[in-house]
């Protein structure tokens, strides 16, 4: 309890959630004692997913609750079906992390059974609350950083498989495009690329190599990944393999793996916006406790993000987020 | 009823006349034209010329459909049944009775059971699965299938007893008699002359695509006449001298059985002896040979080599014990056709010429060249791909493979099938040379003349039993044929 | 009793015992789950399992038809691995067309059905006319069809919110979803055609022994070809259920479907007294496979271990099938 409280307190960046949780925590009533909380996560291979999951489960346990965890193995349909198991396990509440709209019918069923649903990065009309990063800020910031990095003009390829499928991605990529409207000399290469959900780095690497083969030097200035940054790992690999150091890479999420790549000397990966997945998961668990405490929750809880610009910015953010020293 | 047609090769003006209501036998050696005329009759082959009349009416055109409509049914040699189908389903296959509501299972089952009982004299439940039946019962199912519609007038049996044990043959025979008594005409093809003399009223003998003889009254005594009519050819002297000197015992087989195809087989083969095994297809001869080489599983009995018992559970173990097989289908089992002579020979001597898993190319070539020279393979270029060699030369490569190995027991299964006379002589000589060097040779063959000409002694297999071992000097082709076909049942004078 | 009868009896009963191993294994697992997983043996859970197994059940019906017509030798017999790909392609096509405003469900269905029939027809043609191995042909077709679906959907998720499709997952009466009732009906109809008609029996004859069937005057190739068409139509039907359960088409659904389809169909053979693949056995197998999946998850077993376990179960099921066939 104290540790968690301390962690949140020192986290200067989570000013919003800090103030709210501080007041509630201080009176000591917040507890999940005797509650069975289902936690469904779409996968645990990637840093973000895993951290959000860890944040949620460890906080539920710290608050005295019992965790029933299910992992979708990065298959959206399996993830959705897993909610049936939570329903059958008679949990008191469900925290559902990520997932595409195939989970909506399951949320509906949970709601009908009187089990409240709390989501992470998945706004839904059937959920009590969605905890997420400030996606609006992420989208506009990465738009500005990218435009600056290519001098306000040039051609950009974008990996954009999820703009229409996931609301958070719609916000992030939509606002990135919104910013670019003010840069008439920046052109988005059509058709846009679609990355795979599972096995993203390797898939993006192959697609980038094909893209580079089709677009010789001078015809492409930047590659942006619209909603996350696992594919960017493959994009950077492909650029190095093809020796195309004139192209810059931007993406969103900023886990330790991608911050490390950004911090390397002459890294093509120049801008990112880092999230705090552990804090997001933990906040979702806190929200469950608040709900049972009788607090009324707003539909969205936003957790702050850290803009990362250039190699120095990456080192700074790495330290700031508590990943260590680069 | 007359059926007659002259053909070009397989059938050379053969004709066949079958009287209504009789059981008519059809005999002849392999390739005599029996199966060709049946296939023409079935509409599978088209005859170049000739015609068929059924009960006085010409059958035209001859297609499987018109033949079926004429009331002619065929009981093929192979069983062709689905193991997991029930008796009912098997009997009605392709002729199921169904209504808009689905299959009429009960009606079909009652029909199938009554056909089996009334027409074939055997009660079998229609619910039983084919795989739970005995071979004889399966044969009856196959026959019942032909009888299920009442249109049937003629039934042609092609080697119906081939897969059966002797006890089961009797049951089948009585079923066939029963059929005949119900007015159905029967054509009966068999290699087993004792069956022919038992059951048939008239017999037509085929030889080289012609019908050479018709026997109007058949008794036991006509068995030997049938053999004479079937053989009727001279044997060229292509065999090497037989003044060999067998000594000791190379291989001693004691009451060997596989539980299925052969039982209690015992024989000895001396060093330097060529030992023949005769027997019809289905007599257990092939399975016995496979068992000696570890391909077919042995259930009981022992094999001793040089007086030491050995357990042959796989070809690898057979080879390790110096026992090698020259298989009957060398294209399939004996040679790797896309490889050249050199590679094929080195396959079986890899141990000698490889070190630490690497092939010693130079040594490989040496060994292969030695062997090629020794057995006179033409063309003698060892790089020739074996696919392009003639049958005789392919056979010689197979032999050369094993000569390069240190084998001393050779099992040759049909060594000269598809080999021309010239290469035949060379292969026989090669076999004789092997024996002269002290190897024990077992030759399994369906050619009685070959066995008599080549071997010192010949064992005969009938229905899974070794019925006798005879010194070839005492044998003639007629007598050997009579022994394997069961036309003669003289006591076995095991030597 | 002759020696032959004796030795066959013993090998038949041994082969029957081996054929029953997968069933024993699965029933054992179910009992274990019942004792250890919370709420496993409840009506809610039974409903959950049934509902989750609907898509698998449908494609299992398709696969069982192909296996029956082509023989159940896993390598050289009949198999159609392309069915899950057909399903996702049909789902992808319908989702894309429905999200375009002008197209209705009827037109979308027709287009998807034509696509499915094209896949089935290609399979039938390649296998019967060019005598290609079904295993390789349909595996290649699987890859190709998934590729086509990626083109159609741009590998993106497409949401579908259509009343008719939503109705499949919604309760119809007494809380039973319409989908469950539909699949029950389809299963009964399929059972009638595959097991209670002349055509169905002929299909099984063709697979049981090619020679026996052709000697009995059956057109083996035509029957085998028809089974591929049946399979592709079942793939098409399944696509509605995939759309319904996921409220749209998500990429990557085909892999899991494939694994469960193969496992369920060959497991189904263990139900049949004759130890052969049957349509109803395959449908039951589908329920069992999903039950096992749910059981492991209810126990909290890691999803990756579940993958290993499913893979091992496939090996056991196929190996015992091969072994019991060899002994027969």
């Amino acid at each position: 309890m104290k540790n968690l409280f301390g962690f949140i307190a020192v986290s200067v960046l989570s000013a919003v959630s800090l103030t709210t949780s501080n007041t509630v925590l201080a009176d000591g009533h917040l507890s999940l004692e005797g509650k069975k909380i289902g936690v469904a996560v779409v996968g645990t291979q990637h840093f973000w997913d895993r951290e959000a999951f860890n944040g949620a489960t460890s906080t539920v346990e710290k608050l005295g609750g019992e965790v029933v965890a299910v992992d979708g193995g990065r298959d959206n349909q399996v993830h959705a079906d897993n909610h049936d198991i939570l329903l059958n396990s008679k949990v008191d509440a469900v925290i559902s992390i990520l997932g595409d709209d195939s989970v909506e019918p399951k949320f509906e069923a949970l709601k009908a059974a009187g089990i409240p649903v709390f989501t992470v990065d998945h706004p839904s009309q059937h959920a009590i609350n969605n905890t997420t990063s400030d996606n609006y800020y992420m989208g506009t910031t990465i738009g500005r950083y990218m435009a600056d990095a290519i001098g306000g003009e040039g051609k950009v390829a974008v990996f954009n498989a999820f703009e229409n499928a996931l609301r958070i991605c719609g916000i992030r990529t939509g606002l990135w495009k919104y910013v670019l409207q003010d840069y008439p000399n920046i052109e988005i290469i059509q058709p846009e690329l679609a990355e795979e959900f599972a096995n993203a780095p390797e898939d993006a690497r192959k697609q980038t190599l094909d893209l580079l083969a089709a677009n010789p030097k001078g015809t492409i200035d930047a590659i942006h990944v619209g909603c996350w940054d696992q594919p960017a790992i493959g994009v950077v690999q492909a650029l190095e393999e093809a020796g195309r150091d004139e192209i810059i890479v931007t993406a969103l999420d900023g886990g330790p793996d991608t911050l490390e790549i950004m911090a390397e000397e002459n890294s093509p990966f120049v801008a990112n916006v880092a999230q705090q997945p552990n804090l997001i998961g933990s906040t979702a668990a806190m929200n469950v406790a608040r709900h049972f405490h009788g607090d009324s929750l707003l539909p969205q809880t936003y957790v702050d993000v850290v803009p990362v610009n250039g190699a120095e910015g990456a080192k700074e953010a790495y330290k700031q987020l508590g990943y260590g020293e680069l | 009823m007359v059926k007659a047609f002259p053909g070009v090769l397989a059938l050379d003006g053969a004709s066949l006349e079958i009287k209504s209501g009789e059981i008519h036998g059809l005999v002849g050696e392999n390739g005599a034209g029996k199966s060709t005329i049946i296939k023409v009759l079935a509409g599978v082959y088209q005859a170049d010329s000739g015609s068929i009349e059924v009960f006085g009416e010409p059958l035209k055109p001859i297609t499987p459909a018109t033949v079926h409509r004429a009331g002619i049914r065929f009981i093929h040699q192979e069983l062709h049944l689905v193991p997991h189908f029930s008796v009912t389903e098997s009997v009605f296959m392709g002729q199921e009775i169904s209504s808009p509501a689905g299959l009429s299972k009960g009606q079909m089952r009652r029909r199938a059971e009554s056909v089996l009982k009334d027409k074939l004299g055997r009660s079998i439940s229609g619910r039983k699965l084919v795989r739970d039946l005995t071979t004889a019962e399966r044969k009856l199912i196959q026959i019942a299938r032909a009888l299920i519609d009442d249109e049937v007038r003629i039934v042609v049996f092609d080697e119906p007893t081939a897969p059966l044990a002797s006890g089961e043959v009797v049951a089948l025979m009585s079923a066939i008699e029963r059929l005949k008594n119900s007015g159905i005409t029967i054509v009966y093809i068999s290699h087993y002359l004792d069956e022919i003399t038992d059951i048939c009223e008239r017999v037509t003998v085929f030889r080289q695509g012609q019908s050479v003889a018709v026997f109007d009254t058949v008794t036991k005594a006509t068995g030997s006449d049938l053999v004479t009519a079937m053989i009727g050819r001279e044997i060229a002297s292509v065999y090497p001298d037989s003044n060999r000197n067998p000594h000791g015992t190379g291989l001693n087989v004691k009451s060997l059985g596989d539980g299925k195809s052969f039982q209690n087989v015992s024989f000895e083969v001396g060093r330097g002896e060529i030992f023949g095994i005769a027997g019809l297809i289905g007599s257990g001869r092939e399975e016995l040979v496979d068992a000696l080489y570890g391909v077919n599983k042995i259930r009981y009995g022992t094999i001793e080599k040089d007086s030491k018992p050995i357990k042959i559970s796989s070809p690898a173990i057979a080879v390790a014990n110096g026992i090698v097989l020259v298989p009957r289908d060398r294209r399939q089992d004996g040679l790797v056709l896309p490889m050249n002579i050199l590679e094929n020979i080195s396959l079986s001597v890899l141990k000698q010429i490889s070190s630490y898993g690497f092939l010693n190319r130079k040594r490989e070539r040496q060994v292969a060249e030695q062997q090629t020279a020794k057995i006179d393979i033409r063309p003698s270029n060892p790089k020739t791909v074996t696919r392009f060699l003639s049958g005789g030369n392919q056979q010689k490569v197979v032999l050369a493979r094993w000569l390069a190995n240190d084998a001393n027991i050779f099992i040759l299964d049909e060594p000269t099938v598809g080999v021309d006379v010239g290469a035949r002589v060379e292969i026989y000589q090669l076999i004789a040379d092997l024996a002269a060097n002290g190897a024990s040779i077992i030759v399994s063959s369906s050619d009685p003349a070959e066995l008599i000409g080549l071997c010192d002694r010949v064992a005969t297999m009938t229905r899974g039993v070794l019925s006798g071992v005879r010194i070839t000097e005492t044998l003639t082709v007629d007598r050997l044929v009579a022994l394997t076909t069961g036309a003669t049942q003289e006591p076995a004078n095991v030597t | 009793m002759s020696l032959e009868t004796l030795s066959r009896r013993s090998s038949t009963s041994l082969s029957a015992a081996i054929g029953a191993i997968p069933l024993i294994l699965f029933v054992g697992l179910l009992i274990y789950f019942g004792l250890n997983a919370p709420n496993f043996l409840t009506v809610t859970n039974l409903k959950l399992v049934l509902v989750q197994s609907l898509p698998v059940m449908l494609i299992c019906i398709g696969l069982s038809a192909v296996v029956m017509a082509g023989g159940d030798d896993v390598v050289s017999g009949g198999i159609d691995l392309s069915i899950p790909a057909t399903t996702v392609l049909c789902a992808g096509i319908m989702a894309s067309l429905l999200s375009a405003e002008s197209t209705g469900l009827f037109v979308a269905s027709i287009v998807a059905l034509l696509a499915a029939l094209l896949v089935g027809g290609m399979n039938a043609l390649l296998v019967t006319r060019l005598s290609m191995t079904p295993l390789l042909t349909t595996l290649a077709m699987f890859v190709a069809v998934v590729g086509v679906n990626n083109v159609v959907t741009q590998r993106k998720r497409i949401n579908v919110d259509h009343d008719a499709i939503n109705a499949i997952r919604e309760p119809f009466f007494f809380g039973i979803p319409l989908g469950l009732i539909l699949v029950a009906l389809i299963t009964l109809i399929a059972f009638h055609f595959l097991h209670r008609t002349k055509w169905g029996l002929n299909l099984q004859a063709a697979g049981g022994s090619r020679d026996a069937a052709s000697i009995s005057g059956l057109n083996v190739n035509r029957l085998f070809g028809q089974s591929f068409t049946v399979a592709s139509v079942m793939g098409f039907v399944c696509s509605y259920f995939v759309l319904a359960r996921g409220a749209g088409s998500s990429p990557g659904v085909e892999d899991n479907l494939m694994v469960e389809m193969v496992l369920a169909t060959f497991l189904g053979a263990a139900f049949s007294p004759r130890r052969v693949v049957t349509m109803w056995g395959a449908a039951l197998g589908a329920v069992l496979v999903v039950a096992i999946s749910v059981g492991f998850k209810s126990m909290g077993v890691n999803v990756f271990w579940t993958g290993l376990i499913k893979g091992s179960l496939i090996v056991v099921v196929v190996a015992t099938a091969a072994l019991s066939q060899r002994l027969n």
Side-chain angles (χ1 to χ4, degrees):
Chain A
M1 259 326 251
K2 276 274 162 19
N3 281 347
L4 176 74
F5 180 50
F7 170 68
I8 296 171
V10 294
S11 176
V12 286
L13 298 150
S14 56
V16 184
S17 54
L18 177 78
T19 39
T20 49
S21 51
N22 203 356
T23 46
V24 187
L25 272 178
D27 64 18
H29 277 86
L30 213 51
S31 158
L32 287 172
E33 208 73 54
K35 299 272 189 222
K36 204 153 103 178
I37 310 298
V39 180
V41 64
V42 75
T44 44
Q45 294 100 309
H46 296 316
F47 173 79
W48 200 102
D49 313 3
R50 193 167 55 238
E51 276 305 288
F53 175 75
N54 288 341
T57 50
S58 63
T59 305
V60 168
E61 278 163 5
K62 272 171 191 153
L63 294 175
E66 183 197 339
V67 174
V68 181
V70 277
D71 178 352
R74 237 177 150 75
D75 181 324
N76 276 308
Q77 189 58 54
V78 175
H79 173 59
D81 288 344
N82 284 345
H83 289 75
D84 288 337
I85 290 160
L86 296 180
L87 174 68
N88 188 46
S89 300
K90 306 241 174 352
V91 293
D92 296 297
V94 167
I95 300 174
S96 178
I97 301 169
L98 295 161
D100 66 12
D101 280 356
S102 40
V103 295
E104 289 298 324
K106 310 295 181 184
F107 287 174
E108 220 177 321
L110 284 165
K111 192 180 171 186
I115 300 173
V117 178
F118 297 81
T119 55
V120 166
D121 262 13
H122 185 112
S124 163
Q125 52 164 328
H126 307 297
I128 303 282
N129 163 278
N130 176 42
T131 306
T132 183
S133 285
D134 185 346
N135 296 307
Y136 314 99
Y137 181 59
M138 286 174 80
T140 51
T141 306
I142 200 68
R144 288 190 293 111
Y145 282 6
M146 193 205 76
D148 290 351
I150 57 173
E153 60 178 345
K155 286 185 159 181
V156 185
V158 61
F159 281 94
N160 183 20
F162 307 113
E163 185 178 4
N164 299 318
L166 302 178
R167 179 58 193 149
I168 54 160
C169 296
I171 298 167
R172 292 174 191 173
T173 316
L175 287 171
W176 172 78
K177 286 180 177 169
Y178 188 68
V179 170
L180 294 189
Q181 283 175 12
D182 297 326
Y183 295 86
N185 293 328
I186 294 180
E187 185 198 329
I188 299 172
I189 295 172
Q190 296 297 334
E192 293 175 350
L193 303 166
E195 70 270 29
E196 254 179 26
F197 184 55
N199 195 21
E202 179 50 27
D203 168 63
R205 185 185 143 263
K206 282 191 207 138
Q207 291 201 49
T208 306
L209 286 173
D210 294 345
L211 175 79
L212 295 176
N215 296 278
K217 244 185 173 109
T219 59
I220 184 164
D221 299 282
I223 299 175
H224 176 64
V225 184
C227 195
W228 53 328
D229 64 4
Q230 290 300 308
I233 298 169
V235 173
V236 170
Q237 273 175 11
L239 290 178
E240 281 167 3
E241 271 173 56
R244 299 284 288 270
D245 49 12
E246 83 280 10
I247 299 172
I248 61 133
V249 178
T250 55
L252 296 166
D253 266 3
D257 45 357
T258 45
L259 289 178
E260 280 161 21
I261 293 171
M262 290 180 70
E264 281 167 18
E265 212 173 317
N266 297 324
S267 172
F269 199 161
V270 297
N272 203 332
V273 179
Q275 306 188 60
Q276 305 186 68
N278 193 298
L279 183 59
I280 291 176
S282 160
T283 307
M286 300 294 283
N287 282 347
V288 177
R290 285 187 195 105
H291 173 79
F292 285 125
H293 183 249
D295 297 356
S296 70
L297 290 165
L298 293 171
Q300 305 270 348
T301 303
Y302 295 106
V303 174
D304 277 2
V305 291
V306 185
V308 186
N309 203 352
E312 287 311 309
K315 287 178 192 165
E316 217 171 289
Y318 199 82
K319 194 175 165 189
Q320 192 183 345
L321 292 167
Y323 300 145
E325 197 85 40
L326 275 179
Chain B
M1 189 173 75
V2 181
K3 301 175 188 110
F5 67 105
V8 181
L9 270 172
L11 289 171
D12 193 6
S15 49
L16 183 59
E17 185 190 316
I18 292 151
K19 289 180 183 158
S20 166
E22 71 172 348
I23 301 184
H24 191 104
L26 206 53
V27 298
E29 286 197 299
N30 286 333
K34 296 187 310 274
S35 39
T36 313
I37 200 169
I38 291 309
K39 280 182 174 145
V40 170
L41 179 56
V44 179
Y45 289 171
Q46 292 301 312
D48 299 323
S49 59
S51 63
I52 299 177
E53 280 176 26
V54 184
F55 294 102
E57 286 174 25
L59 187 66
K60 247 185 155 177
I62 307 165
T63 67
T66 57
V67 170
H68 192 270
R69 228 172 292 136
I72 306 177
R73 303 287 181 270
F74 296 86
I75 310 298
H76 296 272
Q77 190 171 348
E78 300 82 15
L79 282 163
H80 292 312
L81 293 170
V82 179
H84 61 257
F85 266 37
S86 71
V87 167
T88 308
E89 287 164 348
S90 304
V91 169
F92 276 93
M93 186 180 288
Q95 309 176 65
E96 296 84 354
I97 306 169
S98 73
S99 66
L103 290 168
S104 315
K105 293 211 158 183
Q107 193 189 342
M108 278 161 59
R109 185 172 41 92
R110 285 188 295 275
R111 239 335 246 299
E113 284 172 355
S114 83
V115 166
L116 281 164
K117 188 152 190 337
D118 302 342
K119 294 197 178 163
L120 299 172
R122 186 74 157 258
S123 296
I124 304 174
S125 161
R127 289 199 182 86
K128 263 193 156 179
L129 296 191
V130 169
R131 64 174 173 223
D132 296 327
L133 301 178
T134 65
T135 318
E137 285 172 328
R138 292 181 201 194
K139 201 75 206 177
L140 292 177
I141 301 303
Q142 192 189 6
I143 298 168
R145 187 153 83 196
L147 306 176
I148 201 68
D149 54 3
D150 296 323
E151 310 296 308
V152 55
R153 295 192 288 180
I154 302 168
V155 180
V156 180
F157 289 89
D158 189 4
E159 296 285 353
T161 61
L164 304 182
S166 39
E168 297 176 325
V169 173
V170 179
L172 183 69
M173 290 295 165
S174 72
I176 292 173
E177 291 274 6
R178 219 182 156 96
L179 269 187
K180 183 213 138 182
N181 293 338
S182 70
I184 291 171
T185 307
I186 286 161
V187 180
Y188 191 92
I189 302 163
S190 181
H191 279 301
Y192 293 101
L193 297 182
D194 53 339
E195 291 170 8
I196 297 278
T197 52
D198 270 356
I199 196 171
C200 298
E201 287 145 274
R202 297 199 317 141
V203 178
T204 302
V205 180
F206 272 63
R207 193 172 73 221
Q208 289 166 351
Q210 294 174 328
S211 38
V212 291
V214 178
F215 292 79
D216 276 323
T217 46
V218 181
T219 58
K220 280 278 176 204
T222 48
S224 60
D225 298 336
L226 284 174
V227 173
T228 314
M230 278 164 63
I231 309 288
R233 62 172 165 166
E234 65 184 88
I235 304 152
S237 63
V238 294
Y239 304 101
D241 291 343
S242 60
N243 46 2
R244 278 180 295 277
N245 185 21
H247 53 280
T249 304
L251 197 73
N252 189 0
V253 175
K254 287 183 191 162
S255 58
L256 207 65
D258 71 346
K260 276 188 303 230
S261 310
F262 60 92
Q263 291 100 36
N264 276 319
V265 170
S266 305
F267 61 88
E268 277 182 34
V269 186
R271 292 205 191 94
E273 182 183 13
I274 305 178
F275 183 83
I277 304 177
L280 298 171
I281 290 167
S283 65
R285 172 170 61 90
E286 294 176 359
E287 291 81 2
L288 171 65
V289 167
D290 285 348
L292 292 177
Y293 190 58
V295 177
N296 192 3
K297 212 170 162 187
I298 296 167
R299 282 281 168 91
Y300 55 86
T302 53
I303 301 174
E304 283 177 13
K305 193 197 162 206
D306 302 328
S307 310
K308 274 182 299 186
I310 51 172
K311 234 181 134 65
I312 303 169
S313 51
S314 76
I317 292 172
V319 172
N321 281 301
I323 302 175
V324 298
L325 175 81
V326 179
R328 57 185 156 268
D329 188 354
R330 58 189 164 272
R331 285 175 167 273
Q332 200 183 328
D333 306 324
L335 282 175
V336 185
L337 289 174
M339 286 189 174
N340 64 34
I341 298 175
L342 196 83
E343 289 160 335
N344 264 297
I345 290 176
S346 63
L347 269 182
S348 40
V349 284
L350 282 180
K351 259 193 217 137
Q352 288 176 37
I353 58 173
S354 66
S355 45
Y356 305 108
F358 293 100
L359 268 182
N360 182 339
R361 283 276 164 193
K362 212 170 136 194
R363 182 95 182 85
E364 179 185 354
R365 201 182 162 84
Q366 272 174 10
V367 172
E369 274 170 359
Q370 276 169 20
Q371 297 308 328
T372 317
K374 206 186 280 179
I375 62 166
D376 190 25
I377 296 170
R378 272 160 293 184
S380 58
N381 178 4
K383 290 273 166 86
T384 309
V385 174
T386 48
R387 188 196 301 281
F388 303 123
L389 295 175
S390 70
N393 279 316
Q394 282 181 349
Q395 189 66 303
K396 284 194 267 177
V397 174
V398 177
L399 277 169
R401 274 178 58 173
W402 297 122
L403 290 178
N405 223 330
D406 294 328
N408 48 18
I409 292 183
F410 288 80
I411 304 170
L412 300 135
D413 195 3
E414 303 284 7
T416 58
V417 164
V419 170
D420 63 77
V421 177
R424 231 172 223 242
V425 175
E426 289 175 40
I427 289 170
Y428 290 146
Q429 190 56 53
L430 211 62
I431 295 171
D433 290 350
L434 282 171
N437 287 336
S440 306
I441 317 265
I442 297 171
V443 176
S444 160
S445 174
S446 56
D447 182 350
E450 174 174 284
L451 288 170
I452 292 172
L454 184 64
C455 302
D456 300 311
R457 290 184 301 151
V458 175
T460 44
M461 294 284 294
T462 36
R463 300 209 179 277
V465 177
L466 196 149
S467 50
V469 179
R470 291 169 181 83
I471 296 171
T472 47
E473 271 103 57
T474 68
L475 280 173
T476 61
V477 171
D478 292 14
R479 194 158 154 247
L480 186 54
V481 171
L483 285 168
T484 52
T485 54
T488 322
Q489 299 217 316
E490 55 185 79
N493 51 334
V494 180
T495 319
Chain C
M1 192 174 295
S2 75
L3 250 171
E4 188 202 349
T5 324
L6 266 180
S7 75
R8 201 183 40 250
R9 284 266 165 91
S10 71
S11 81
T12 310
S13 58
L14 182 62
S15 107
I18 288 174
I21 287 178
L23 199 62
I24 295 165
L25 202 71
F26 272 69
V27 170
L29 274 172
L30 287 183
I31 294 171
Y32 178 74
F33 291 142
L35 294 175
N36 292 285
N39 305 320
F40 190 75
L41 294 178
T42 59
V43 178
T44 333
N45 193 49
L46 178 69
K47 202 172 94 183
L48 183 167
V49 167
L50 283 176
V51 168
Q52 278 198 13
S53 63
L54 298 182
V56 185
M57 222 189 274
L58 288 170
I59 54 177
C60 278
I61 293 174
L63 180 60
S64 65
V66 177
V67 175
M68 280 191 274
D72 54 5
D73 186 307
V74 181
V75 177
S76 61
I79 195 161
D80 187 353
L81 298 178
S82 70
I83 310 173
T86 308
T87 298
V88 294
L89 176 64
C90 292
I93 289 174
M94 283 199 274
S96 320
L97 289 177
L98 288 175
S99 63
E101 280 159 28
S102 56
T103 327
L105 183 62
F106 182 72
V107 177
S109 300
I110 296 290
V111 177
L113 179 60
L114 287 177
L117 289 174
L118 188 68
V119 176
M122 288 276 283
N123 280 333
L125 214 64
L126 292 173
V127 170
T128 60
R129 298 267 166 241
L130 298 184
S131 310
M132 286 171 63
T133 323
L135 184 69
L136 285 179
T137 310
T138 58
L139 184 62
M141 196 59 82
F142 175 87
V143 175
V145 171
V146 168
V148 173
N149 186 46
N150 285 337
V151 173
V152 170
T153 61
Q154 302 268 290
R155 260 203 282 192
K156 292 178 180 177
R157 157 146 185 116
I158 303 168
N159 289 336
V160 170
D161 187 11
H162 192 284
D163 288 342
I165 286 174
N166 292 349
I168 293 175
R169 65 167 182 261
E170 274 151 18
F172 190 62
F173 66 85
F174 297 117
I176 300 171
L178 177 62
L180 199 56
I181 295 160
L182 286 177
V183 172
L185 280 176
I186 294 169
T187 309
L188 281 176
I189 294 168
F191 177 76
H192 178 78
F193 278 103
L194 289 170
H195 288 283
R196 286 283 177 268
T197 62
K198 197 173 155 72
W199 176 76
L201 202 57
N202 290 346
L203 206 69
Q204 293 171 54
S209 164
R210 231 190 132 79
D211 292 337
S214 36
I215 274 183
S216 307
L218 304 177
N219 188 335
V220 175
N221 272 343
R222 192 198 297 157
L223 287 163
F224 199 17
Q226 284 167 346
S227 75
F228 281 108
T229 314
V230 171
S232 65
V233 170
M234 290 317 292
F236 161 74
V237 173
C238 178
S239 70
Y240 290 103
F241 290 78
V242 165
L243 283 177
R245 73 165 182 190
S249 120
S250 290
V253 171
E254 63 276 1
D255 297 340
N256 217 25
L257 279 180
M258 160 106 101
V259 172
E260 296 195 335
M261 170 185 81
V262 173
L263 184 53
T265 305
F266 286 94
L267 173 70
F271 289 112
S272 135
R274 301 182 183 187
R275 299 277 173 267
V276 290
V277 169
T278 56
M279 180 251 125
W280 57 272
L284 270 178
V287 178
L288 212 51
V289 166
V290 171
I292 297 297
S293 229
V294 167
F296 276 120
K297 282 178 190 166
S298 304
M299 298 271 302
V301 174
N302 182 305
V303 66
F304 299 113
W305 282 113
T306 316
L308 172 74
I309 292 163
K310 269 193 209 166
S312 316
L313 286 174
I314 292 187
V315 172
V316 171
V317 165
V318 174
T320 49
L323 201 62
S324 84
Q325 214 163 42
R326 253 183 58 182
L327 282 169
N328 228 312

